[in-house]
């Protein structure tokens, strides 16, 4: 069988702009009704260069759609107690609707304890055990941003996921597992795979949908992909260029999958949707708080 054409490239940047427009309009509606503008508190501990870049992106994105952002930059040596006190203050602040603690955290901080101290109603990352439980029981709550972005990208190319075979590569708590839960909620048949999975290429070849979230550059080769499959590439690895600088490489060998139905690029696929979903989650949290106050 020859090449059937070129896979459709799903434009994550364009979809993110569309979602941002909806968020901007939603915020305008909220403030017109006399409620506070949505507020997002971002807590950054230490000075990890990649985290600095992510936080700067998030703050800029907040400004774009009309979310008030409150940056809390804490020195590397900040104690766990001091951070818990900060979170308690943000939990109690009615102008703060979302709280985001940038990971990774310094080694002396127990991330589970800190993330678990965030009010689940303000947990716009969706990492709190209450939100994890709600996602796995299909009972609402705030859904983690990258998995939500993945689902929205899939929705642009597949009308109905019912009964489709989906293979998720990677089983992390923040990406792989929540994606699997979202796909199960949509009645897909889900296989979650990881570094110890045997025969991954054969498993992947059965898939109508492959979500690659391993952080292993060009892991998914063309021969792993069934004709007409839809591929979402979550992986981002920084690779040095021979002439200096670096480029971002995904988990899918993009140039080998022209026989797929559709594929997301890296960059410009899942990345922009992650930030757009953070903003829409913050609006959702603000709407919930307003309804709670009025209720
Ligand atoms: P992680 O390291 O916590 O988990 C990686 C998972 O992939 C593990 O379950 C591991 O078993 C599996 N894995 C690793 N190598 C594998 C291999 N060769 N074969 C099969 N499975 C393998 O990483 P994470 O936090 O889940 O992130 C995964 C990737 O997604 C990373 O590249 C990360 O940078 C990227 N990411 C992107 C966004 C975004 O906004 N686009 C957001 C979060 C994470």
């Amino acid at each position: 069988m020859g090449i059937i054409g070129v896979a459709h490239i799903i434009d994550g940047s364009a979809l993110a702009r569309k979602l941002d427009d909806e968020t901007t309009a939603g915020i305008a509606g909220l403030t017109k009704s006399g409620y506070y503008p949505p507020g997002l508190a971002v807590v950054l501990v230490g000075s990890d260069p990649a985290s600095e870049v992510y936080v700067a992106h998030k703050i800029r994105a907040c400004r774009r759609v009309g979310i008030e952002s409150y940056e809390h930059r804490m020195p590397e040596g900040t104690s766990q107690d001091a951070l818990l006190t900060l979170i308690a203050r943000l939990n109690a602040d009615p102008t703060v609707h979302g709280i985001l603690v940038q990971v990774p955290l310094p080694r002396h901080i127990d991330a589970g304890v800190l993330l678990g101290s965030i009010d689940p109603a303000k947990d716009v990352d969706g990492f709190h055990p209450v939100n994890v439980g709600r996602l796995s029981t299909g009972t609402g709550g705030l859904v983690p941003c990258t998995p939500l972005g993945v689902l929205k990208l899939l929705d642009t190319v597949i009308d109905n996921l019912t009964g489709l075979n989906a293979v998720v590569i990677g089983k992390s708590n923040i990406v792989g597992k929540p994606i699997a839960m979202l796909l199960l909620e949509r009645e897909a048949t889900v296989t979650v795979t990881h570094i110890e999975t045997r025969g991954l290429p054969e498993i992947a070849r059965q898939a109508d949908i492959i979500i690659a979230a391993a952080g292993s550059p060009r892991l998914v080769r063309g021969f792993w992909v069934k004709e007409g499959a839809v591929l979402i590439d979550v992986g981002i690895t920084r690779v040095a260029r021979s002439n200096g600088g670096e480029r971002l490489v995904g988990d899918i060998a993009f140039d080998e999958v022209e026989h797929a139905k559709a594929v997301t690029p890296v960059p410009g696929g899942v990345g922009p949707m992650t930030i757009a979903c953070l903003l829409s989650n913050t609006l959702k949290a603000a709407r919930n708080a307003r309804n709670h106050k009025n209720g």
Side-chain angles (χ1 to χ4, degrees), residues 54 146 169-176 193-197 200 212-216 219 224 233-237 249 251 270-272 274-275:
Y54 292 141
T146 300
I169 306 177
K171 65 166 182 73
S172 73
N173 289 334
I174 60 172
V175 188
T193 66
H194 48 82
I195 189 85
E196 301 295 347
T197 298
L200 185 50
S216 178
L219 173 69
W224 291 31
D233 195 346
V234 185
I236 302 177
T237 307
V249 180
D251 285 357
V270 175
T274 295
I275 297 208

Side-chain angles (χ1 to χ4, degrees), residues 122-147:
K122 297 191 179 191
D123 169 40
V124 283
D125 260 339
F127 296 161
H128 191 286
V130 165
N131 284 318
V132 174
R134 285 189 182 139
L135 178 61
S136 62
T137 50
T139 49
L142 290 161
V143 174
C145 307
T146 300

